[in-house]
């Protein structure tokens, strides 16, 4: 399993696998991570991606982590607060908080 860059986990990634139906269909997430493509976590797409996305430490994220290990891919965990602040930083808008 390869490692992600802790300072910039998206560096060098062209696509990530979104584990879970809701995560894979989240258009805001796709916009947030662009130009990295977000594709559904399916065995046929494993060769197209460099990491697996999971949402925090929920039970669904534990399943995503196990699947990522089976595929030999690193896990990239997302959190609500991180995504909100990252989005504002990337679009140069101020956070309402």
């Amino acid at each position: 399993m390869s490692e992600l860059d802790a300072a910039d986990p998206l560096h060098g990634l062209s696509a990530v696998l979104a584990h879970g139906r809701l995560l894979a269909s989240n258009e805001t997430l796709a916009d947030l991570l662009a130009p990295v493509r977000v594709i559904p976590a399916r065995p046929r797409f494993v060769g197209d991606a460099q990491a697996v996305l999971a949402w925090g430490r929920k039970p669904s994220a534990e399943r995503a982590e196990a699947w990522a290990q089976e595929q030999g891919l690193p896990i990239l965990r997302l959190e609500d607060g991180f995504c909100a602040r990252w989005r504002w930083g990337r679009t140069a808008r101020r956070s309402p908080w």
Side-chain angles (χ1 to χ4, degrees), residues 11-89:
H11 178 75
L13 302 182
S14 61
V16 292
L17 297 166
H19 194 274
R21 193 178 53 230
L22 293 176
L23 197 57
S25 65
N26 187 319
E27 291 179 22
T28 302
L29 181 60
D31 290 342
L32 177 70
L33 297 179
V36 177
R37 291 182 309 130
V38 177
I39 53 181
R42 302 285 181 266
R44 68 179 179 262
F45 297 134
V46 169
D48 298 333
Q50 297 81 36
V52 175
L53 292 178
W55 202 261
R57 297 269 178 198
K58 297 168 71 169
S60 61
E62 292 174 12
R63 290 188 298 274
E65 184 172 17
W67 191 80
Q69 287 177 348
E70 289 174 14
Q71 307 308 317
L73 293 171
I75 192 87
L76 180 59
R77 295 181 186 279
L78 303 174
E79 296 284 346
D80 293 348
F82 171 74
C83 289
R85 295 211 181 253
W86 189 23
R87 178 174 163 223
W88 283 306

